[in-house]
Amino acid sequence: IRGELARVATHMPPVPLEVLPPRSIGRGVVYPLRCEALMMLHKSLQQTWQEWLTPQDARPLWPHVTVQNK
């Protein structure tokens, strides 16, 4: 795992994130993030480690910043 992450971190340039308007998630508020490169990276890492993922880790990525929770 460390080797794969080091390889990715060494070869991948910083990625731009688009911060979307705040969104209520019931008992909290988040700022969703949009970044196609991040989504592709996440999917690639999921495929690499598929056999070791928990059900939560196998879900699609939902990048966001939580600003209020409960």
Side-chain angles (χ1 to χ4, degrees):
I1 292 173
R2 287 182 184 161
E4 178 66 14
L5 293 178
R7 184 190 66 74
V8 170
T10 300
H11 295 98
M12 186 169 182
V15 295
L17 295 174
E18 180 181 356
V19 180
L20 302 175
R23 178 175 148 195
S24 173
I25 56 167
R27 295 178 61 192
V29 176
V30 300
Y31 281 93
L33 305 174
R34 184 181 306 162
C35 177
E36 189 60 33
L38 179 63
M39 301 301 283
M40 291 172 45
L41 172 60
H42 184 264
K43 188 110 177 121
S44 173
L45 294 173
Q46 279 181 317
Q47 290 169 350
T48 299
W49 299 321
Q50 183 177 12
E51 64 185 283
W52 298 286
L53 298 181
T54 65
Q56 181 177 353
D57 294 331
R59 289 187 212 149
L61 180 64
W62 179 49
H64 64 281
V65 176
T66 303
V67 292
Q68 177 187 348
N69 192 10
K70 299 176 187 86

